[in-house]
Amino acid sequence: ERENLRQFIERGGFLLASSGCSSEEWDRSFRKAMALTFQNKSLETITTEHLVFHTVYDIENLEAKHGTPKPLVGIHFGTRLGVLYSQDGLNDTSNTQGCCCCGGNEITNAEEINVNILVYSLLQ
């Protein structure tokens, strides 16, 4: 499965991942999986200058439910971003009731960043 995922992404696919409830266990597991799948690449910080922050909406910073959010990280394949990961949730919890993610540090401007991510992934 790792090999299939690696080939999919290297051939132009895109993987978006977000840690539900800002789970530290999920974060560790995802980072380990990416290190095993892409042994010659590592997750790197995606700054707000990156195109993914400026495809539809111009997003100057991420906003979170509980203080400063962790930066988005990703893996590039040449100039193309193939993996994008948020340690804080990218769920639209502002429009849910009784959400399981209420204890996490959800990104409050997730709707805009997710629109940008979708457009970016389709254009690359």
Side-chain angles (χ1 to χ4, degrees):
E1 292 304 314
R2 283 188 194 111
E3 181 63 19
N4 288 339
L5 178 62
R6 185 188 61 73
Q7 288 182 17
F8 168 74
I9 294 172
E10 286 180 347
R11 293 176 180 166
F14 185 81
L15 174 66
L16 170 63
S18 171
S19 177
C21 298
S22 304
S23 167
E24 292 179 15
E25 294 84 9
W26 202 99
D27 178 63
R28 279 193 301 274
S29 178
F30 181 79
R31 289 175 186 275
K32 180 180 178 182
M34 291 300 98
L36 291 170
T37 304
F38 302 104
Q39 295 178 5
N40 60 341
K41 296 189 175 284
S42 59
L43 291 165
E44 299 175 352
T45 298
I46 307 299
T47 67
T48 56
E49 287 80 31
H50 193 282
L51 182 59
V52 79
F53 285 95
H54 304 283
T55 57
V56 176
Y57 298 101
D58 281 321
I59 299 171
E60 298 302 321
N61 56 25
L62 296 175
E63 300 165 7
K65 187 175 179 180
H66 303 291
T68 305
K70 308 273 189 315
L72 299 181
V73 295
I75 300 175
H76 281 89
F77 298 84
T79 59
R80 181 185 64 83
L81 184 62
V83 175
L84 181 61
Y85 171 59
S86 174
Q87 188 174 344
D88 295 319
L90 284 173
N91 306 309
D92 184 14
T93 58
S94 62
N95 293 312
T96 61
Q97 301 224 349
C99 175
C100 68
C101 300
C102 295
N105 195 30
E106 300 299 307
I107 304 296
T108 57
N109 55 343
E111 187 173 326
E112 291 86 5
I113 189 63
N114 283 325
V115 167
N116 279 14
I117 292 167
L118 174 63
V119 171
Y120 175 88
S121 70
L122 294 173
L123 295 174
Q124 297 304 308

